[in-house]
Amino acid sequence: MPIHPMTKPSRRFRNAIAALLALGAVAGSPVRAETDLGSLDLISSASEDSPVPQGLVLGGVYIGANARYKALDDMNLVVPGGVYFGERFMYLGDRARYYFYREGGFAAFAYGRVRFGNLDPADAPELAGMTKREWEPEAGIGANLITPYALLTMRAASDISGTSKGQECLLWSDFPVIRGRLLVMPGLGVLWRSSKLANYYFGGVSADEARPGRPQHDTGATWSPMMSLITSYRFDRHWLGTVSGNIEHFDSGTAKSPIVAHDNEVTVIAGVGYIW
């Protein structure tokens, strides 16, 4: 669906994007996929025909993902959660945005996130001697740009707690197609992680953590290409659903880690939400 450059997208289009976010980011869910579904609607609507009105959306999702680390089981979770959409503030499960500037097809926002720990040596004997990876709060800024055929997102964020002391930057493009109540949106992009963030959460092994069969490993700074396919469908006034898939191809610094299980991380999300 073409979008005129630097003009406000249709109300239906903006809110359809928000619908998939309402189900894709639930509070506290340990989703490992790093894809940002954030080609957001800039203004949600109170209309009964809108896929997501302003206010609260509650729902539940199934999350499936292949395990990042060797010896761990794949993820299969069913979790509840809620999100909030306002004119400037949006709470999206483990992250939030505040839009401090909007003009035509451009918007700038402040960004905050809680990144959950993803490695506990108590989970498998093969990880004995590793340091537990703790959660950390992150903050940053970003922008959305509407072009005739794509929604562009750029975001940069940094650890603000001293846990990993790392940073990341995202460049992402979404290509939405809307047919009535149905949204189908492929997307692709690349995520840069600093060496400190990548080593802490994506396969680094320090000298103190090295063991026979688990050599020391420095991931360095990494670049990971990613693709996604997001669908969202509005059933009626109160109910909507989504099915989505994300794949991230790990940089060689991550993929060659002695504790990382694979080159590609795949996440599937399916859910239903109730619009209050």
Side-chain angles (χ1 to χ4, degrees):
M1 183 186 71
I3 307 171
H4 297 294
M6 299 307 293
T7 60
K8 186 181 297 182
S10 70
R11 181 169 293 174
R12 174 176 292 181
F13 172 75
R14 297 194 309 269
N15 291 305
I17 301 300
L20 65 94
L21 285 163
L23 298 172
V26 292
S29 63
V31 181
R32 295 188 180 99
E34 295 300 316
T35 300
D36 192 312
L37 306 180
S39 292
L40 307 175
D41 62 332
L42 299 181
I43 302 175
S44 58
S45 170
S47 169
E48 292 185 1
D49 295 329
S50 171
V52 173
Q54 293 180 356
L56 179 66
V57 179
L58 298 178
V61 297
Y62 162 78
I63 304 169
N66 52 341
R68 179 170 302 167
Y69 298 118
K70 295 177 181 178
L72 297 184
D73 295 331
D74 292 342
M75 177 189 297
N76 288 282
L77 294 175
V78 177
V79 292
V83 296
Y84 176 81
F85 295 92
E87 292 188 359
R88 289 186 176 268
F89 177 75
M90 296 183 183
Y91 167 71
L92 307 170
D94 64 344
R95 63 200 69 190
R97 296 186 180 198
Y98 177 75
Y99 283 88
F100 56 84
Y101 179 83
R102 295 195 306 266
E103 182 66 32
F106 177 80
F109 58 86
Y111 171 84
R113 172 186 179 176
V114 174
R115 187 187 298 270
F116 296 98
N118 61 6
L119 187 154
D120 188 338
D123 289 340
E126 292 84 349
L127 297 176
M130 294 292 297
T131 300
K132 183 178 180 180
R133 273 38 174 180
E134 304 287 352
W135 67 276
E136 69 178 28
E138 299 174 2
I141 58 173
N144 295 120
L145 179 65
I146 301 170
T147 72
Y149 300 102
L151 295 174
L152 307 180
T153 299
M154 180 175 64
R155 172 177 56 74
S158 177
D159 170 34
I160 58 173
S161 66
T163 301
S164 73
K165 302 179 182 179
Q167 297 80 38
E168 70 172 18
C169 294
L170 174 74
L171 296 174
W172 191 261
S173 299
D174 285 307
F175 306 92
V177 177
I178 295 176
R179 295 292 183 267
R181 296 181 176 184
L182 175 67
L183 166 70
V184 178
M185 187 172 73
L188 57 88
V190 63
L191 187 60
W192 173 86
R193 299 183 180 99
S194 70
S195 60
K196 290 182 179 179
L197 184 68
N199 273 297
Y200 195 78
Y201 289 110
F202 294 87
V205 179
S206 68
D208 292 339
E209 295 172 323
R211 298 289 189 274
R214 190 173 71 208
Q216 182 178 354
H217 180 75
D218 184 356
T219 66
T222 63
W223 291 88
S224 289
M226 300 175 294
M227 295 192 308
S228 71
L229 179 63
I230 310 299
T231 67
S232 178
Y233 184 75
R234 179 72 179 266
F235 297 110
D236 56 29
R237 175 182 175 183
H238 288 295
W239 291 97
L240 55 87
T242 184
V243 176
S244 66
N246 305 302
I247 182 169
E248 174 179 350
H249 181 70
F250 284 145
D251 183 286
S252 60
T254 295
K256 292 181 179 179
S257 167
I259 62 173
V260 170
H262 48 74
D263 294 342
N264 299 299
E265 189 160 278
V266 179
T267 302
V268 175
I269 299 174
V272 176
Y274 185 85
I275 304 167
W276 291 87

